[in-house]
Amino acid sequence: MKLSHWLPCLAWGRQYNRSSATQDGMAALIVTLMLIPQSLAYAMLAGLPPVMGLYASILPLLAYAVFGSSRTLAVGPVAVVSLMTAAALAPLFPAGSEAYIGAAMLLALLSGLLLSAMAFLRLGFLANFLSHPVVSGFISASGILIAIGQLKHLFGISTSGVSLLQIIPQLWQGLPATHWQTLLIGVFSLAWLWWARKRLKPALQRLGLSAQTAGNLAKAGPVLAIIVAIVVVSWLQLDQAGVKVVGAIPQGLPALALPTLDLELAIQLLPAALLISLVGFVESVSVGQTLAAKRRQRIEPDNELLGLGTANLSAAFSGGFPITGGFARSVVNYDAGAQTPMAGVFTAMGIALSVMLLTPLLHNLPHAVLAATIIVAVLSLVDLGSLRRTWRYSPQDGAAQLATLLGVLLIGVGAGILIGVGLSLLLFLWRTSQPHMAVVGQVPGSEHFRNIERFAVVESPSVLSVRVDESLYFPNARYLEDRISELIATRPQVRHLVLMCSGVNLIDASALDSLETIVERLQTAGVQLHLSEVKGPVMDQLRRSTFLESFGGQVFISQFEALKTLAPQVTQHTLRPVNPPATAQPAAHRKSL
């Protein structure tokens, strides 16, 4: 395989010019201003020292720029993955301890190895097991759980727990101990950030600024909140009055170091690392594909796996924790005009300069401001209306989405997503175990065949045409046998049964055994089985067995050819229609064709 396949940077690097560099630089400036407070906040959300958020925003961005295929995806710490990190590590070690930090780096290492291995083995399809309703329910529940979990920092009280059943009672019990100075800082920060998110851009436009300039300045709202909060805390010495602040942050770039290499701990963290990898990959690919489509570009899932894998490996060796592509940050990167992954490289340089020069200034940054930053960011992820829309369209998918949402809120992150995935798979097996099967007839004057219960069609008393609208495999093989026996029992004149396979994409070994059983039963009843409209891959499968030689019937290229051969009088319209002549029912009364 060509080296350029695994190094997309070679493609855009050859065409890189000053114009692209200028646009990437401007986008990087805006994303850096957005990423600094988010990195600090999401590290705190993960139960880690805030500086680790900055560490996780340097080398990982460089690695993704080399191996990732999206031109505008912005990687780094994100809320959902930070929550999953905390959920995996909180039961094992005290938050912020040396053991906790080492385990977070090990979790990043495992995630990086898993993603990289999936890339080389082309296992990106595993992420397909996370259906859109499950992912939507998971993200909405995570947003609610994160927001409520951050209230402890706004009230200045201590709580712990990984579900609402654990967090809410502790919050209620801790309310009498609310620290009022902390609460005031948190409420004002929350109000400002919420207003800036919705209203600051229009307000700046009314002052005469262009839409782009106003939008870029509005993105710096969290930075202004941080600056004002630091000034107020320093001026009034609120840290001495009990307001919790970030404290001393190491100055300088992170030293390269090995994460904790503990085999027993690695095995214990492996399930969490796999979930983090899959969720992070799904989120990144969804965002990357959406943004790429706007510019008629495309991304390669294998490259995304490798890009995210190397980014997490970089985080593991540079004092970081698991990261992935962020939705809001990537949209900002795109809107700011980023042309290539060099925007990520410039962002990493900006974060590196901040770590070297600005960290002493962050000593008096209140935890309440970071909590407000998290709350405003994650509430934009909550979409409870999606549950109503999904349920209206498909109650089964709605049930999986609701189960995921309630599982995350009431049990925990890992359990919630496993419940959603498990229920989705069970509902899929249940749906496909009873496939839709329709007796079809010829539409007069055409070669088309439609359901006899929905259209005025022509049938032959000696030929029964049955359309199967599902692949045939082990969950529905027995149902196929029972349904055909039932149809034959009610039609004593039938001498031929044609199984219309236009909707069949697979016939597995169990279904093949059932077809052989059906052939034996039909022959005992004096009926011959035939197949029509068999797809090429399915036909290739059947040729690898002895079924085609032994079943005694024919395989027709179309249902019309089958009826023309077995009952030519029907195709010539000499048979009186079984149903009264009428046009097809109105569309409002038809569920499917």
Side-chain angles (χ1 to χ4, degrees), residues 109-132:
L109 176 65
L110 292 173
S111 181
L113 291 173
L114 286 170
L115 287 165
S116 300
M118 288 168 64
F120 289 117
L121 296 175
R122 300 182 181 278
L123 297 181
F125 69 89
L126 290 176
N128 295 336
F129 289 104
L130 296 175
S131 67
H132 286 289

Side-chain angles (χ1 to χ4, degrees), residues 266-347:
I267 294 173
Q268 194 172 2
L269 293 177
L270 194 58
L274 180 59
L275 276 180
I276 288 173
S277 300
L278 290 176
V279 170
F281 175 60
V282 169
E283 182 176 353
S284 293
V285 168
S286 300
V287 176
Q289 287 176 335
T290 300
L291 297 179
K294 292 183 177 182
R295 293 181 180 173
R296 299 193 178 185
Q297 298 169 348
R298 61 191 302 269
I299 65 172
E300 293 290 342
D302 290 338
N303 289 118
E304 290 305 292
L305 283 168
L306 186 58
L308 294 174
T310 54
N312 275 281
L313 290 174
S314 300
F317 291 106
S318 60
F321 57 98
I323 56 96
T324 191
F327 175 75
R329 196 180 308 137
S330 298
V331 171
V332 169
N333 196 40
Y334 175 89
D335 290 342
Q339 298 298 307
T340 71
M342 274 300 293
V345 175
F346 293 148
T347 300

Side-chain angles (χ1 to χ4, degrees), residues 9 14 169 204 244 471 497 523 541 578:
C9 60
R14 295 189 188 99
L204 293 173
K244 291 184 178 180
S471 293
L497 187 147
Q523 289 176 347
Q541 272 188 305
V578 175

Side-chain angles (χ1 to χ4, degrees), residues 383-408:
D383 183 11
L384 297 181
S386 172
L387 177 61
R388 183 179 64 254
R389 296 190 297 271
T390 303
W391 191 283
R392 186 188 304 131
Y393 180 76
S394 171
Q396 293 90 352
D397 288 332
Q401 185 170 348
L402 179 62
T404 306
L405 191 145
L406 293 178
V408 171

